Amino acid sequence: MEIIILGSGDTVGTPKLNCTCETCTLARAQGIPNARTRFGILIRDPEKDRNIVIDTGPDLRAQLIREGVRRIAAVLYTHHHYDHILGFSEFYRVQNFIKVFGLKETLDFVLEKMGFKIINAKRVEIKLYETVEYHNIRFQAFPVYHPSWNEEKPIQPIGYSFNINGKKLVVTGDTGVRIPEEALRVMDKPDILITDAFIDRPTHFLDHHMTINEAVELADNLQAKKTVLVHLAHLNPPHEKLQEKVDPTRERILIGYDSLKMVI
């Protein structure tokens, strides 16, 4: 099975519109790995030609074309902020059926309120911590900490822990450091951890995402064999500089980038 980073960027992506910082300038000139589209992960089973995506950001169409993906079998949603769902509309007139997993409030928002009823989607409501089997993959959703601003009803964001071929893949989704203890137990000792990491220094508003150092500390506490940092903002140093700063050997910590591929 292949794990592919479709998008490694944050809400605005890199380069950010109208930004001339060093990272955005390099991204415009050189593309990947400094150029980052909005978050998304692909789990690809080449033998069965079965593809699963985690979240459908606004850049989904370009991401799937870039990776040569013809069809998506299922979508797993972490939460329903716009940068994680808007690409669902790209399935319209492209394929006639798709299975969609998520918490009830997320599925209600994506499949009802967003006007995506024209897409033939089979909704599968999941509950926190329950084990779900989908063909040869088992997974659990766990709660994380990603509070929403100016909303009457808060969103409950989730991450996923997968059992794939006897190996453990954990995807945190968007989260700050205040992950519940029970969730941390579900996340423990992953073979691959793909985790939220926003910026390489603390900021006054940052509690709903992790800094680079906080994400690395989480990886250490979970005893992750390999960790990939995603949801990276343009405010970080350029890709290679950030990689050298975090782990120049690339043995334990990888700075994620669009099209990064791993086998599990």
Side-chain angles (χ1 to χ4, degrees), residues 6 22 132 170 219:
L6 293 177
E22 180 185 13
V132 180
V170 170

Side-chain angles (χ1 to χ4, degrees), residues 172-193:
T172 68
D174 287 11
T175 184
V177 297
R178 287 185 270 179
I179 300 172
E181 287 296 325
E182 187 176 357
L184 291 172
R185 287 191 287 272
V186 172
M187 299 165 66
D188 198 38
K189 296 182 175 62
D191 293 279
I192 299 175
L193 170 67

Side-chain angles (χ1 to χ4, degrees), residues 24 44 66 90 100 102 134 155 163 185 203 211 235 264:
C24 287
R44 169 184 265 167
R66 185 191 71 211
E90 300 297 351
V100 186
Y134 180 68
I155 289 174
N163 184 312
R185 287 191 287 272
T203 66
T211 64
L235 300 169
I264 193 168

Side-chain angles (χ1 to χ4, degrees), residues 2-221:
E2 282 186 322
I3 311 300
I4 302 173
I5 305 298
L6 293 177
S8 59
D10 71 334
T11 307
V12 299
T14 304
K16 179 183 176 182
L17 286 171
N18 302 320
C19 182
T20 58
C21 74
E22 180 185 13
T23 300
C24 287
T25 300
L26 276 176
R28 290 189 183 92
Q30 301 177 4
I32 297 171
N34 286 299
R36 303 182 185 280
T37 56
R38 270 69 69 89
F39 175 83
I41 295 171
L42 174 69
I43 300 175
R44 169 184 265 167
D45 186 345
E47 293 183 3
K48 304 291 185 181
D49 193 26
R50 186 182 297 124
N51 299 305
I52 301 168
V53 293
I54 303 173
D55 290 344
T56 57
D59 304 307
L60 183 67
R61 177 179 176 275
Q63 293 166 344
L64 296 182
I65 290 173
R66 185 191 71 211
E67 302 302 332
V69 178
R70 295 181 300 172
R71 182 177 180 83
I72 296 298
V75 175
L76 278 62
Y77 278 113
T78 62
H79 65 303
H80 47 283
H81 284 160
Y82 89 94
D83 56 317
H84 292 257
I85 66 171
L86 285 190
F88 190 74
S89 60
E90 300 297 351
F91 296 117
Y92 176 57
R93 295 176 61 191
V94 172
Q95 61 182 75
N96 58 14
F97 177 78
I98 192 164
K99 189 169 282 191
V100 186
F101 296 84
L103 298 184
K104 181 182 184 304
E105 56 266 32
T106 294
L107 297 185
D108 287 347
F109 190 89
V110 174
L111 300 179
E112 303 293 333
K113 293 183 179 179
M114 289 299 294
F116 293 155
K117 294 179 182 180
I118 54 176
I119 298 169
N120 184 14
K122 176 177 174 56
R123 61 183 289 155
V124 183
E125 294 178 13
I126 59 177
K127 294 181 171 59
L128 296 175
Y129 300 117
E130 75 172 354
T131 298
V132 180
E133 294 195 11
Y134 180 68
H135 296 284
N136 56 339
I137 293 175
R138 293 200 311 273
F139 63 87
Q140 285 179 286
F142 54 83
V144 293
Y145 180 78
H146 188 59
S148 303
W149 295 336
N150 300 322
E151 291 183 4
E152 294 180 3
K153 185 178 180 181
I155 289 174
Q156 174 59 71
I158 59 176
Y160 288 99
S161 177
F162 298 88
N163 184 312
I164 303 173
N165 297 330
K167 298 292 182 69
K168 186 173 183 177
L169 165 69
V170 170
V171 180
T172 68
D174 287 11
T175 184
V177 297
R178 287 185 270 179
I179 300 172
E181 287 296 325
E182 187 176 357
L184 291 172
R185 287 191 287 272
V186 172
M187 299 165 66
D188 198 38
K189 296 182 175 62
D191 293 279
I192 299 175
L193 170 67
I194 302 176
T195 186
D196 180 298
F198 185 69
I199 193 173
D200 70 330
R201 58 188 181 277
T203 66
H204 69 283
F205 65 88
L206 189 65
D207 72 338
H208 58 299
H209 290 286
M210 289 187 284
T211 64
I212 301 294
N213 288 340
E214 287 169 340
V216 171
E217 183 177 354
L218 174 67
D220 290 341
N221 291 340

